[in-house]
Amino acid sequence: MIRVALRGLTGRKLRTALTAFAIVLGVAMVSGTYVLTDTINKAFDTIFSESYAGTDAAITGKAPDISFEGEGADTPTVPESVLERVRRLDSVEAATGTVADEDATKILKPDGKAINTQGAPSFGLGIDPTQSRFNPLKLVEGTWPSSPDEVVIDAGTADKQGYGVGDTIRIATLKPVRPFRVTGIARYGSVDSLGSATFAVFTIPIAQELLDRKGQFDTISVAAKEGVTPEELVADIKPILPPTAQVRTGVEQAEEESSEVAEFTSFFQYFLLAFAAVALFVGAFVIFNTMSITVAQRTRELATLRTIGASRAQLRRAVLLEALVIGAIASLIGLALGILLAVGLQALFRALDLELPTTDMVIATRTIIVALLVGVVVTVLAAFVPALRATRIAPILAVREGAELPKGRLSRFTPYIALAVIALSLVLLGRAMFTDELDTGQRLLTIGVGVLLLFVGVAMISPKLVRPLAAIVGVPGEKVAGISGFLARRNTLRNPGRTAATAAALMIGLALV
């Protein structure tokens, strides 16, 4: 039976390829989404881990635990006096303060307009270049600023705007626009790109002046003496901090900042996976319909196999084996295309000025397993009902012309089951739209499940709608096309279930659009 199943596939090469393509698209979306978001997450993790790589303890402001309309209170700065007290501790090897603002510093383009970061940060930084262990930035060329009129800018801005070492650029901050001489070009650690974000690095005094941080730091980074653990260092620092400041280990601070970004990338991932789910859902309809047609066309072939001794279980396994082979091949191709899709999405975001930070492409084991598993499982499940239909083929059908598959025992209940599914979907959609106790995630999930059930219910009941719709659509076609229109209308009526299944995938696509 294995040989029969495989020969059946090779005997219908074009249909097999087109059937597989439905799964290829869905799997490509799944794998491409995971590759892209994993690459972005790795870039952010690298940014934050390298930011605190040489830091055993990080002191930051402690924001009040209040919020208004979803917005929390601004994090306060840390007084410079705290840095001096920290340096006097016996457990401290070195400490430095930094200034970091995310949105007040705008580098102007040569035409005088501010660079649009498309919502990404536009960092204004003040660092002490003598404390290199705390500095995550790496000079590509030039030197760090040493006077009030000097600045270092990021490599992405330098490339896009044509700025180089020695050029004079204008920068807007919380103070009026001022000219600065570019003394260096820098990049953020080992990250390939910061996306559309920009940064400008000043001396600490000028950064404090431009960003209204006189006598204040945003972060104080501390390194422990040899033999002192980060936890012991944190315990030593806590008693000398004002109530508006807090201290964490460097690892804890990196995880805290990374978790804030992870919320965005998770939403981004779910957004793209929703499209993958739609593609797989439509693909399942296509496979179900194709396998149903294949089984119907092979009625005499399968009946002949029954006459020479093939059991129902063998026929079922043969049909499911065809689906398994299609799903496996389609999943492998989809996985490869997904990697190309991730590259394409990056290029698309870059073209739209929505580029996100990236590093070397990440192809996780989880991505490979999920992509292959999803493609194979969806294909096999979609072929399960056609496989059951194949087992109902009686040997006598091998000698009958025009024989059709017998209807299932539950077929007469299909309209009632369809109405129940539609009713359940409407209840879920109504609950999602008109109740207040659901949070955003629960509401979106309820809507998604409701919509999928609605599609399934309409697809199940649509065979009952074929005859009236064929009368409405087919009669005018028959008037215009004559005998061709007559044959077309009769063909749609000959097997309403097959007609409805064929239209289901297109119905879902148009409804979603």
Side-chain angles (χ1 to χ4, degrees):
M1 293 304 294
I2 294 176
R3 190 179 301 171
V4 169
L6 296 179
R7 283 184 176 176
L9 284 175
T10 56
R12 298 179 300 277
K13 297 183 181 65
L14 180 59
R15 180 179 297 175
T16 300
L18 294 177
T19 303
F21 189 66
I23 292 299
V24 167
L25 293 178
V27 172
M29 281 294 296
V30 172
S31 58
T33 296
Y34 277 125
V35 169
L36 178 63
T37 54
D38 286 347
T39 301
I40 293 170
N41 279 331
K42 182 185 176 184
F44 279 116
D45 289 343
T46 301
I47 288 172
F48 294 123
S49 61
E50 290 185 354
S51 295
Y52 297 98
T55 301
D56 294 311
I59 302 170
T60 58
K62 184 178 181 181
D65 188 18
I66 58 174
S67 63
F68 177 70
E69 294 183 348
E71 294 291 332
D74 292 336
T75 302
T77 52
V78 181
E80 272 187 354
S81 57
V82 174
L83 176 60
E84 297 306 318
R85 293 201 294 269
V86 168
R87 283 174 171 167
R88 288 196 291 267
L89 292 174
D90 294 335
S91 55
V92 173
E93 174 72 24
T96 189
T98 57
V99 175
D101 185 274
E102 293 187 4
D103 51 32
T105 304
K106 303 293 184 183
I107 301 174
L108 303 189
K109 296 185 286 188
D111 62 6
K113 296 180 180 178
I115 294 174
N116 185 356
T117 61
Q118 302 292 339
S122 52
F123 293 104
L125 306 172
I127 62 171
D128 182 357
T130 64
Q131 298 286 347
S132 58
R133 66 189 300 168
F134 301 117
N135 185 4
L137 303 179
K138 309 295 182 185
L139 275 175
V140 176
E141 57 180 302
T143 60
W144 295 108
S146 58
S147 64
D149 62 345
E150 294 179 342
V151 70
V152 165
I153 61 174
D154 63 283
T157 298
D159 290 340
K160 292 175 184 176
Q161 306 303 327
Y163 291 138
V165 174
D167 289 346
T168 297
I169 65 173
R170 304 175 73 208
I171 300 177
T173 59
L174 296 178
K175 304 299 181 183
V177 175
R178 288 175 52 174
F180 292 87
R181 186 174 66 86
V182 178
T183 61
I185 308 295
R187 60 182 292 178
Y188 214 108
S190 59
V191 176
D192 294 336
S193 167
L194 278 179
S196 56
T198 64
F199 66 74
V201 183
F202 310 96
T203 61
I204 289 179
I206 196 65
Q208 289 174 322
E209 176 190 339
L210 297 174
L211 301 170
D212 284 347
R213 306 287 208 277
K214 281 292 183 67
Q216 303 287 323
F217 292 120
D218 288 288
T219 304
I220 294 176
S221 302
V222 188
K225 284 186 176 178
E226 187 175 353
V228 178
T229 66
E231 290 73 20
E232 291 172 340
L233 180 62
V234 167
D236 287 348
I237 293 173
K238 276 184 179 178
I240 66 173
L241 295 181
T244 57
Q246 62 185 348
V247 60
R248 298 187 181 98
T249 66
V251 172
E252 290 173 341
Q253 185 65 26
E255 290 176 348
E256 173 69 19
E257 296 186 9
S258 183
S259 66
E260 295 176 3
V261 175
E263 294 180 8
F264 163 73
T265 53
S266 294
F267 170 80
F268 184 58
Q269 185 181 77
Y270 293 145
F271 178 78
L272 291 176
L273 285 177
F275 286 96
V278 169
L280 288 168
F281 185 64
V282 174
F285 267 88
V286 172
I287 290 168
F288 169 80
N289 185 48
T290 304
M291 296 301 287
S292 296
I293 293 172
T294 300
V295 169
Q297 289 179 336
R298 296 169 62 194
T299 299
R300 297 187 67 187
E301 174 193 333
L302 298 176
T304 302
L305 291 173
R306 290 295 309 279
T307 63
I308 60 176
S311 66
R312 289 188 172 188
Q314 285 178 314
L315 291 185
R316 181 172 61 248
R317 286 197 296 269
V319 176
L320 290 178
L321 178 61
E322 290 186 26
L324 180 63
V325 172
I326 291 173
I329 295 174
S331 298
L332 288 171
I333 296 173
L335 177 63
L337 286 181
I339 297 171
L340 297 178
L341 179 63
V343 175
L345 285 172
Q346 287 180 350
L348 176 63
F349 291 143
R350 195 178 303 117
L352 297 174
D353 289 330
L354 297 173
E355 186 179 1
L356 293 168
T358 55
T359 183
D360 294 335
M361 184 168 288
V362 178
I363 305 174
T365 304
R366 179 260 284 132
T367 301
I368 298 173
I369 293 173
V370 170
L372 297 180
L373 195 61
V374 164
V376 171
V377 168
V378 168
T379 307
V380 172
L381 287 179
F384 186 72
V385 172
L388 288 181
R389 288 177 181 170
T391 65
R392 296 201 299 267
I393 295 176
I396 193 64
L397 294 181
V399 296
R400 291 175 56 190
E401 288 290 344
E404 293 185 2
L405 290 176
K407 294 185 179 298
R409 287 173 294 180
L410 298 178
S411 60
R412 63 181 184 274
F413 300 114
T414 300
Y416 307 105
I417 297 173
L419 291 174
V421 171
I422 292 173
L424 177 59
S425 71
L426 294 177
V427 169
L428 290 174
L429 291 172
R431 180 170 182 262
M433 290 188 289
F434 301 117
T435 56
D436 297 327
E437 68 271 12
L438 299 178
D439 61 30
T440 302
Q442 293 173 327
R443 194 179 305 277
L444 291 175
L445 180 61
T446 305
I447 289 174
V449 173
V451 169
L452 290 179
L453 287 177
L454 183 60
F455 284 145
V456 172
V458 171
M460 290 176 68
I461 203 171
S462 56
K464 300 296 181 183
L465 306 177
V466 168
R467 292 187 181 277
L469 288 175
I472 296 172
V473 178
V475 172
E478 189 175 337
K479 300 288 187 185
V480 174
I483 189 63
S484 298
F486 171 78
L487 291 174
R489 186 168 70 89
R490 295 296 296 174
N491 268 331
T492 61
L493 297 176
R494 186 162 59 90
N495 194 326
R498 192 183 304 169
T499 301
T502 304
L506 183 59
M507 173 193 73
I508 294 169
L510 290 176
L512 288 169
V513 171

